[in-house]
Amino acid sequence: MKQDLLEKMYKALYKEKEGRQQGTLHQLKAVMQIRGIDGKVKKNFRAHFGFLEMVTTIYVEEQALELFNLKDIHDTSQIPPEAERETRTWQILRQIVDTYKYGQILFQGEEAARPLTVSLQGNAVVMKRLEEDEVYNYGSQLCLWGLQLLEMHDTAVEGDQERLVVNTMHNIPFFFAHSALSKYFVECIDFVLKIKYILSPLSRAVVLDTAFVNSNGGIGKCVESDLRQEHSVCNKKVLIKQLGANKTTKAMERATGSADAICDAVNNVRDSLQIKEKSHRHSSASTEEALNRGRAVLRKLRPFAHCPGRKCMGYTGIKASPFSKVSRTLLSQRINKVVERLRHGVTISNVDSDEDYTE
Protein backbone atom coordinates (compact mmCIF):
# COMPACT_ATOMS: atom_id res chain seq x y z
CA MET A 1 0.00 0.00 0.00
CA LYS A 2 2.96 2.30 0.61
CA GLN A 3 3.97 2.06 -3.04
CA ASP A 4 0.42 2.91 -4.15
CA LEU A 5 0.22 5.95 -1.84
CA LEU A 6 3.61 7.12 -3.09
CA GLU A 7 2.37 6.84 -6.66
CA LYS A 8 -0.68 9.00 -5.84
CA MET A 9 1.59 11.61 -4.25
CA TYR A 10 3.77 11.88 -7.37
CA LYS A 11 0.68 12.18 -9.57
CA ALA A 12 -0.50 15.10 -7.44
CA LEU A 13 2.78 16.99 -6.91
CA TYR A 14 5.22 15.98 -9.67
CA LYS A 15 4.90 17.56 -13.12
CA GLU A 16 7.83 17.48 -15.52
CA LYS A 17 6.44 20.34 -17.61
CA GLU A 18 6.70 22.77 -14.67
CA GLY A 19 10.40 22.48 -13.92
CA ARG A 20 10.92 26.25 -13.71
CA GLN A 21 8.83 26.69 -10.58
CA GLN A 22 11.15 26.95 -7.58
CA GLY A 23 10.62 24.47 -4.76
CA THR A 24 8.66 21.83 -6.70
CA LEU A 25 9.73 18.21 -6.83
CA HIS A 26 10.83 18.43 -10.46
CA GLN A 27 12.92 21.55 -9.89
CA LEU A 28 14.52 20.16 -6.72
CA LYS A 29 15.35 16.94 -8.56
CA ALA A 30 17.42 18.95 -11.04
CA VAL A 31 19.07 21.13 -8.40
CA MET A 32 19.90 18.20 -6.11
CA GLN A 33 21.09 16.13 -9.12
CA ILE A 34 18.99 13.07 -8.29
CA ARG A 35 18.78 10.33 -10.93
CA GLY A 36 16.02 7.86 -11.75
CA ILE A 37 13.03 10.11 -10.96
CA ASP A 38 10.34 10.30 -13.65
CA GLY A 39 7.12 9.94 -11.66
CA LYS A 40 6.73 6.24 -12.53
CA VAL A 41 6.98 4.85 -9.01
CA LYS A 42 6.50 1.17 -9.81
CA LYS A 43 9.38 1.32 -12.27
CA ASN A 44 11.83 2.44 -9.59
CA PHE A 45 10.32 2.49 -6.12
CA ARG A 46 13.54 2.95 -4.13
CA ALA A 47 14.71 6.01 -6.03
CA HIS A 48 11.32 7.74 -5.77
CA PHE A 49 10.90 7.00 -2.08
CA GLY A 50 14.47 8.03 -1.28
CA PHE A 51 13.99 11.33 -3.11
CA LEU A 52 10.72 12.03 -1.26
CA GLU A 53 12.46 11.31 2.05
CA MET A 54 15.15 13.87 1.25
CA VAL A 55 12.68 16.54 0.08
CA THR A 56 10.42 16.03 3.10
CA THR A 57 13.43 16.44 5.38
CA ILE A 58 14.44 19.82 3.97
CA TYR A 59 10.84 21.06 3.83
CA VAL A 60 10.18 20.23 7.50
CA GLU A 61 13.50 21.87 8.40
CA GLU A 62 12.38 24.95 6.48
CA GLN A 63 9.14 25.04 8.45
CA ALA A 64 11.10 25.11 11.71
CA LEU A 65 13.53 27.75 10.41
CA GLU A 66 10.67 30.02 9.34
CA LEU A 67 8.66 29.51 12.52
CA PHE A 68 11.54 30.29 14.89
CA ASN A 69 13.24 32.86 12.65
CA LEU A 70 16.53 30.99 12.29
CA LYS A 71 19.13 31.58 9.58
CA ASP A 72 19.96 27.95 8.85
CA ILE A 73 20.06 24.52 10.49
CA HIS A 74 23.36 25.41 12.17
CA ASP A 75 21.91 28.46 13.95
CA THR A 76 22.25 27.83 17.72
CA SER A 77 20.83 31.14 18.93
CA GLN A 78 17.70 29.56 20.41
CA ILE A 79 19.11 26.39 21.97
CA PRO A 80 17.76 26.22 25.56
CA PRO A 81 19.94 25.48 28.62
CA GLU A 82 20.65 21.85 29.42
CA ALA A 83 18.23 21.83 32.38
CA GLU A 84 15.31 23.04 30.23
CA ARG A 85 16.15 21.18 27.05
CA GLU A 86 13.78 18.23 27.40
CA THR A 87 10.78 20.36 28.36
CA ARG A 88 11.55 22.97 25.73
CA THR A 89 11.94 20.30 23.03
CA TRP A 90 8.39 19.06 23.58
CA GLN A 91 7.11 22.64 23.54
CA ILE A 92 8.86 23.26 20.21
CA LEU A 93 7.40 20.09 18.69
CA ARG A 94 3.93 21.02 19.89
CA GLN A 95 4.29 24.50 18.42
CA ILE A 96 5.30 23.09 15.02
CA VAL A 97 2.42 20.59 15.05
CA ASP A 98 -0.15 23.26 15.98
CA THR A 99 1.17 25.90 13.55
CA TYR A 100 1.23 23.69 10.49
CA LYS A 101 -1.85 21.66 11.54
CA TYR A 102 -0.26 18.24 11.59
CA GLY A 103 -2.68 15.55 12.71
CA GLN A 104 -5.69 17.64 11.69
CA ILE A 105 -7.80 16.49 8.75
CA LEU A 106 -9.52 19.62 7.44
CA PHE A 107 -12.11 18.86 4.78
CA GLN A 108 -13.84 21.14 2.32
CA GLY A 109 -15.07 24.30 4.00
CA GLU A 110 -13.32 23.55 7.31
CA GLU A 111 -10.10 25.45 6.68
CA ALA A 112 -9.49 28.52 8.79
CA ALA A 113 -10.37 31.71 6.95
CA ARG A 114 -7.51 33.89 5.82
CA PRO A 115 -7.07 37.31 7.48
CA LEU A 116 -9.09 40.18 6.04
CA THR A 117 -7.78 43.57 4.93
CA VAL A 118 -9.85 46.69 5.37
CA SER A 119 -9.65 49.67 3.03
CA LEU A 120 -11.57 52.91 3.58
CA GLN A 121 -13.19 54.76 0.68
CA GLY A 122 -14.99 57.77 2.06
CA ASN A 123 -17.48 56.43 4.54
CA ALA A 124 -17.59 52.95 3.06
CA VAL A 125 -15.55 50.02 4.40
CA VAL A 126 -14.50 47.48 1.78
CA MET A 127 -13.28 44.12 3.09
CA LYS A 128 -11.22 41.96 0.76
CA ARG A 129 -10.11 38.44 1.51
CA LEU A 130 -6.42 37.81 0.99
CA GLU A 131 -5.55 35.59 -1.95
CA GLU A 132 -4.10 32.14 -1.42
CA ASP A 133 -0.35 31.59 -1.37
CA GLU A 134 0.03 28.62 -3.72
CA VAL A 135 3.73 28.12 -2.93
CA TYR A 136 2.90 27.88 0.78
CA ASN A 137 0.07 25.47 0.00
CA TYR A 138 2.31 23.30 -2.18
CA GLY A 139 4.92 23.01 0.57
CA SER A 140 2.30 22.26 3.24
CA GLN A 141 0.66 19.56 1.16
CA LEU A 142 4.03 18.01 0.30
CA CYS A 143 4.89 17.77 4.00
CA LEU A 144 1.57 16.05 4.78
CA TRP A 145 2.12 13.44 2.06
CA GLY A 146 5.78 12.97 2.95
CA LEU A 147 5.34 12.55 6.69
CA GLN A 148 2.52 10.05 6.20
CA LEU A 149 4.72 7.95 3.92
CA LEU A 150 7.69 8.19 6.30
CA GLU A 151 5.44 7.10 9.16
CA MET A 152 4.37 4.07 7.12
CA HIS A 153 8.01 3.28 6.35
CA ASP A 154 9.05 3.50 10.00
CA THR A 155 6.10 1.29 10.98
CA ALA A 156 7.18 -1.30 8.42
CA VAL A 157 10.88 -1.49 9.34
CA GLU A 158 9.96 -1.85 13.02
CA GLY A 159 7.20 -4.37 12.29
CA ASP A 160 4.82 -2.33 14.48
CA GLN A 161 1.39 -3.97 14.28
CA GLU A 162 -0.39 -1.33 16.34
CA ARG A 163 0.67 1.56 14.14
CA LEU A 164 -0.19 -0.47 11.03
CA VAL A 165 -3.91 -0.22 11.80
CA VAL A 166 -3.66 3.50 12.64
CA ASN A 167 -1.75 4.26 9.44
CA THR A 168 -4.29 2.35 7.38
CA MET A 169 -7.09 4.46 8.85
CA HIS A 170 -5.12 7.64 8.05
CA ASN A 171 -4.68 6.46 4.45
CA ILE A 172 -8.45 6.36 3.83
CA PRO A 173 -8.91 10.13 3.21
CA PHE A 174 -5.68 10.27 1.15
CA PHE A 175 -6.98 7.68 -1.32
CA PHE A 176 -10.49 9.17 -1.31
CA ALA A 177 -9.05 12.60 -2.13
CA HIS A 178 -7.37 11.06 -5.18
CA SER A 179 -10.53 9.29 -6.36
CA ALA A 180 -13.86 8.45 -4.74
CA LEU A 181 -13.75 5.12 -6.61
CA SER A 182 -10.20 4.21 -5.60
CA LYS A 183 -9.74 0.49 -5.04
CA TYR A 184 -7.11 1.24 -2.39
CA PHE A 185 -9.72 3.28 -0.50
CA VAL A 186 -11.90 0.15 -0.36
CA GLU A 187 -8.89 -1.99 0.55
CA CYS A 188 -8.08 0.20 3.57
CA ILE A 189 -11.66 0.04 4.85
CA ASP A 190 -11.76 -3.72 4.32
CA PHE A 191 -8.54 -4.21 6.32
CA VAL A 192 -9.69 -2.07 9.26
CA LEU A 193 -13.16 -3.64 9.25
CA LYS A 194 -11.78 -7.17 9.44
CA ILE A 195 -9.06 -6.41 12.00
CA LYS A 196 -11.29 -4.42 14.34
CA TYR A 197 -14.63 -6.22 14.09
CA ILE A 198 -15.01 -9.31 11.91
CA LEU A 199 -12.01 -11.58 12.44
CA SER A 200 -11.59 -13.78 15.49
CA PRO A 201 -8.66 -13.00 17.84
CA LEU A 202 -6.63 -15.86 16.35
CA SER A 203 -7.28 -14.85 12.74
CA ARG A 204 -6.55 -11.23 13.61
CA ALA A 205 -3.19 -12.20 15.12
CA VAL A 206 -2.30 -14.23 12.01
CA VAL A 207 -3.12 -11.34 9.66
CA LEU A 208 -1.07 -8.84 11.68
CA ASP A 209 1.87 -11.22 12.12
CA THR A 210 2.10 -11.84 8.37
CA ALA A 211 1.77 -8.17 7.42
CA PHE A 212 5.58 -7.79 7.53
CA VAL A 213 8.45 -10.04 6.49
CA ASN A 214 12.14 -10.01 7.33
CA SER A 215 13.89 -12.22 4.80
CA ASN A 216 17.41 -10.95 5.54
CA GLY A 217 17.27 -10.89 9.34
CA GLY A 218 18.39 -8.12 11.67
CA ILE A 219 16.66 -5.48 13.76
CA GLY A 220 14.70 -2.81 11.90
CA LYS A 221 14.85 -4.55 8.50
CA CYS A 222 11.25 -5.61 8.01
CA VAL A 223 9.33 -4.79 4.83
CA GLU A 224 5.65 -4.96 3.95
CA SER A 225 4.51 -8.33 2.66
CA ASP A 226 2.41 -6.72 -0.07
CA LEU A 227 5.37 -4.62 -1.25
CA ARG A 228 7.58 -7.72 -1.45
CA GLN A 229 4.82 -9.46 -3.42
CA GLU A 230 4.53 -6.56 -5.88
CA HIS A 231 8.25 -6.69 -6.55
CA SER A 232 7.94 -10.44 -7.11
CA VAL A 233 5.20 -9.76 -9.68
CA CYS A 234 7.57 -7.37 -11.46
CA ASN A 235 10.11 -10.20 -11.79
CA LYS A 236 7.42 -12.37 -13.35
CA LYS A 237 6.43 -9.66 -15.82
CA VAL A 238 10.03 -9.48 -17.07
CA LEU A 239 9.97 -13.20 -17.94
CA ILE A 240 6.51 -12.96 -19.54
CA LYS A 241 7.72 -10.22 -21.88
CA GLN A 242 10.48 -12.52 -23.14
CA LEU A 243 7.92 -15.02 -24.42
CA GLY A 244 6.87 -12.69 -27.20
CA ALA A 245 3.48 -12.85 -28.91
CA ASN A 246 0.84 -15.62 -28.81
CA LYS A 247 1.83 -16.75 -25.33
CA THR A 248 -0.57 -19.10 -23.58
CA THR A 249 -1.56 -19.20 -19.94
CA LYS A 250 0.30 -22.49 -19.50
CA ALA A 251 3.46 -21.02 -21.00
CA MET A 252 3.31 -18.03 -18.65
CA GLU A 253 2.81 -20.30 -15.65
CA ARG A 254 5.83 -22.43 -16.58
CA ALA A 255 8.03 -19.40 -17.29
CA THR A 256 7.21 -17.59 -14.07
CA GLY A 257 7.11 -20.55 -11.69
CA SER A 258 10.65 -19.79 -10.50
CA ALA A 259 10.82 -16.08 -11.27
CA ASP A 260 12.37 -15.07 -7.93
CA ALA A 261 14.96 -17.86 -8.10
CA ILE A 262 15.87 -16.85 -11.66
CA CYS A 263 16.26 -13.23 -10.52
CA ASP A 264 18.61 -14.34 -7.72
CA ALA A 265 20.61 -16.48 -10.17
CA VAL A 266 21.01 -13.55 -12.55
CA ASN A 267 22.19 -11.32 -9.70
CA ASN A 268 24.72 -13.98 -8.63
CA VAL A 269 26.09 -14.17 -12.19
CA ARG A 270 26.44 -10.37 -12.25
CA ASP A 271 28.27 -10.43 -8.94
CA SER A 272 30.66 -13.18 -10.11
CA LEU A 273 31.43 -11.23 -13.31
CA GLN A 274 31.74 -8.01 -11.31
CA ILE A 275 29.04 -6.33 -13.37
CA LYS A 276 27.64 -3.48 -11.34
CA GLU A 277 23.90 -3.04 -11.67
CA LYS A 278 22.77 0.51 -12.35
CA SER A 279 21.96 2.01 -8.97
CA HIS A 280 20.10 5.17 -8.04
CA ARG A 281 21.33 5.23 -4.46
CA HIS A 282 23.81 7.84 -3.37
CA SER A 283 26.65 7.75 -0.89
CA SER A 284 26.20 9.59 2.38
CA ALA A 285 28.57 12.35 1.22
CA SER A 286 26.72 13.01 -2.04
CA THR A 287 23.39 12.82 -0.18
CA GLU A 288 24.46 15.53 2.23
CA GLU A 289 25.63 17.69 -0.68
CA ALA A 290 22.26 17.23 -2.38
CA LEU A 291 20.43 18.16 0.82
CA ASN A 292 22.49 21.33 1.16
CA ARG A 293 21.66 22.36 -2.41
CA GLY A 294 17.98 21.78 -1.72
CA ARG A 295 18.17 23.74 1.56
CA ALA A 296 19.71 26.69 -0.27
CA VAL A 297 16.81 26.75 -2.76
CA LEU A 298 14.19 26.71 0.00
CA ARG A 299 15.98 29.32 2.10
CA LYS A 300 15.93 31.68 -0.87
CA LEU A 301 12.32 30.86 -1.76
CA ARG A 302 10.98 30.88 1.84
CA PRO A 303 7.84 28.86 0.98
CA PHE A 304 6.39 29.12 4.50
CA ALA A 305 6.59 32.93 4.72
CA HIS A 306 3.00 33.60 3.74
CA CYS A 307 2.75 35.94 0.72
CA PRO A 308 -0.86 36.51 -0.45
CA GLY A 309 -1.27 36.06 -4.18
CA ARG A 310 1.98 34.16 -4.75
CA LYS A 311 1.49 31.69 -7.61
CA CYS A 312 2.87 28.22 -8.15
CA MET A 313 3.16 27.49 -11.87
CA GLY A 314 1.39 24.31 -12.88
CA TYR A 315 -0.50 24.00 -9.58
CA THR A 316 -3.17 26.67 -9.89
CA GLY A 317 -5.68 26.51 -7.06
CA ILE A 318 -3.68 24.03 -4.97
CA LYS A 319 -4.72 23.87 -1.32
CA ALA A 320 -2.62 23.44 1.82
CA SER A 321 -4.23 20.06 2.48
CA PRO A 322 -5.02 17.23 0.04
CA PHE A 323 -8.38 16.86 1.80
CA SER A 324 -9.57 20.41 1.09
CA LYS A 325 -11.49 19.30 -2.00
CA VAL A 326 -13.16 16.44 -0.11
CA SER A 327 -16.56 16.82 1.53
CA ARG A 328 -16.78 15.25 4.99
CA THR A 329 -20.41 14.30 4.31
CA LEU A 330 -19.62 12.57 1.02
CA LEU A 331 -16.70 10.70 2.59
CA SER A 332 -18.89 9.50 5.44
CA GLN A 333 -21.60 8.36 3.04
CA ARG A 334 -19.10 6.55 0.84
CA ILE A 335 -17.51 4.77 3.82
CA ASN A 336 -20.93 3.61 5.05
CA LYS A 337 -21.77 2.21 1.62
CA VAL A 338 -18.46 0.36 1.37
CA VAL A 339 -18.79 -1.04 4.90
CA GLU A 340 -22.31 -2.25 4.19
CA ARG A 341 -21.09 -4.04 1.08
CA LEU A 342 -18.03 -5.57 2.74
CA ARG A 343 -19.90 -6.89 5.74
CA HIS A 344 -21.68 -9.54 3.63
CA GLY A 345 -24.48 -9.74 6.17
CA VAL A 346 -22.13 -10.02 9.17
CA THR A 347 -23.52 -8.33 12.27
CA ILE A 348 -20.92 -6.11 13.92
CA SER A 349 -21.17 -5.69 17.67
CA ASN A 350 -19.25 -3.23 19.80
CA VAL A 351 -16.34 -5.43 20.86
CA ASP A 352 -13.49 -3.60 22.56
CA SER A 353 -11.36 -6.50 23.78
CA ASP A 354 -10.57 -10.09 22.94
CA GLU A 355 -12.08 -11.27 26.24
CA ASP A 356 -15.53 -10.04 25.13
CA TYR A 357 -15.34 -11.83 21.79
CA THR A 358 -17.64 -14.81 21.22
CA GLU A 359 -17.75 -17.05 18.18
Side-chain angles (χ1 to χ4, degrees), residues 22-305:
Q22 297 289 308
T24 60
L25 287 172
H26 189 268
Q27 190 265 344
L28 288 174
K29 180 195 76 169
V31 172
M32 298 168 70
Q33 300 178 11
I34 304 298
R35 304 185 302 272
I37 308 298
D38 57 3
K40 300 177 181 178
V41 174
K42 293 184 179 180
K43 181 180 178 181
N44 194 340
F45 170 77
R46 289 184 178 179
H48 285 82
F49 183 80
F51 176 57
L52 175 66
E53 186 176 11
M54 296 169 67
V55 172
T56 303
T57 298
I58 61 176
Y59 258 101
V60 174
E61 289 175 353
E62 181 61 30
Q63 285 183 331
L65 296 178
E66 191 65 44
L67 179 61
F68 299 108
N69 195 26
L70 301 175
K71 295 181 180 179
D72 52 46
I73 61 173
H74 303 293
D75 190 343
T76 59
S77 59
Q78 297 193 29
I79 293 181
E82 186 68 30
E84 305 175 3
R85 189 161 298 177
E86 182 175 355
T87 304
R88 181 58 179 155
T89 298
W90 286 109
Q91 293 176 352
I92 291 173
L93 290 174
R94 173 53 58 186
Q95 191 173 352
I96 293 175
V97 169
D98 293 342
T99 301
Y100 297 106
K101 297 180 173 59
Y102 288 124
Q104 301 180 30
I105 300 180
L106 301 177
F107 293 99
Q108 190 177 52
E110 298 178 356
E111 291 182 320
R114 293 295 184 188
L116 300 179
T117 58
V118 180
S119 59
L120 300 177
Q121 295 181 353
N123 296 326
V125 178
V126 180
M127 304 184 69
K128 296 182 179 179
R129 188 175 300 278
L130 293 178
E131 297 182 26
E132 291 281 351
D133 181 354
E134 294 179 356
V135 175
Y136 178 96
N137 291 348
Y138 181 92
S140 298
Q141 188 171 148
L142 177 60
C143 288
L144 289 175
W145 281 98
L147 290 176
Q148 175 65 11
L149 284 158
L150 292 180
E151 173 67 16
M152 293 178 65
H153 177 69
D154 185 67
T155 300
V157 297
E158 297 296 336
D160 193 332
Q161 300 176 3
E162 296 296 330
R163 282 195 291 166
L164 171 63
V165 180
V166 176
N167 289 340
T168 305
M169 295 174 68
H170 286 174
N171 287 340
I172 290 175
F174 277 99
F175 286 121
F176 186 80
H178 175 75
S179 173
L181 302 177
S182 172
K183 63 179 180 181
Y184 304 110
F185 167 76
V186 178
E187 184 179 333
C188 290
I189 297 176
D190 183 52
F191 179 80
V192 175
L193 183 65
K194 290 179 178 177
I195 292 296
K196 286 291 187 180
Y197 301 104
I198 295 180
L199 296 179
S200 66
L202 179 59
S203 299
R204 184 187 314 160
V206 171
V207 171
L208 292 175
D209 287 341
T210 56
F212 307 105
V213 295
N214 189 343
S215 57
N216 297 323
I219 299 175
K221 294 185 178 180
C222 296
V223 296
E224 299 91 336
S225 299
D226 60 339
L227 183 61
R228 172 58 67 86
Q229 183 64 29
E230 288 191 32
H231 291 173
S232 177
V233 170
C234 289
N235 294 334
K236 294 180 180 181
K237 288 182 178 180
V238 172
L239 295 177
I240 292 175
K241 288 181 180 179
Q242 307 304 317
L243 296 177
N246 302 323
K247 42 185 173 283
T248 63
T249 303
K250 194 65 175 179
M252 289 188 288
E253 290 177 354
R254 290 176 176 175
T256 60
S258 302
D260 294 333
I262 294 173
C263 182
D264 292 338
V266 171
N267 291 334
N268 290 334
V269 171
R270 285 177 175 171
D271 292 340
S272 63
L273 297 177
Q274 297 183 353
I275 299 175
K276 292 184 178 181
E277 186 178 1
K278 185 178 180 181
S279 174
H280 298 287
R281 291 188 174 185
H282 297 73
S283 64
S284 57
S286 61
T287 299
E288 188 61 31
E289 292 174 0
L291 288 172
N292 289 334
R293 288 192 291 266
R295 291 183 182 116
V297 171
L298 295 186
R299 273 283 73 193
K300 182 179 179 180
L301 178 64
R302 296 187 65 187
F304 298 106

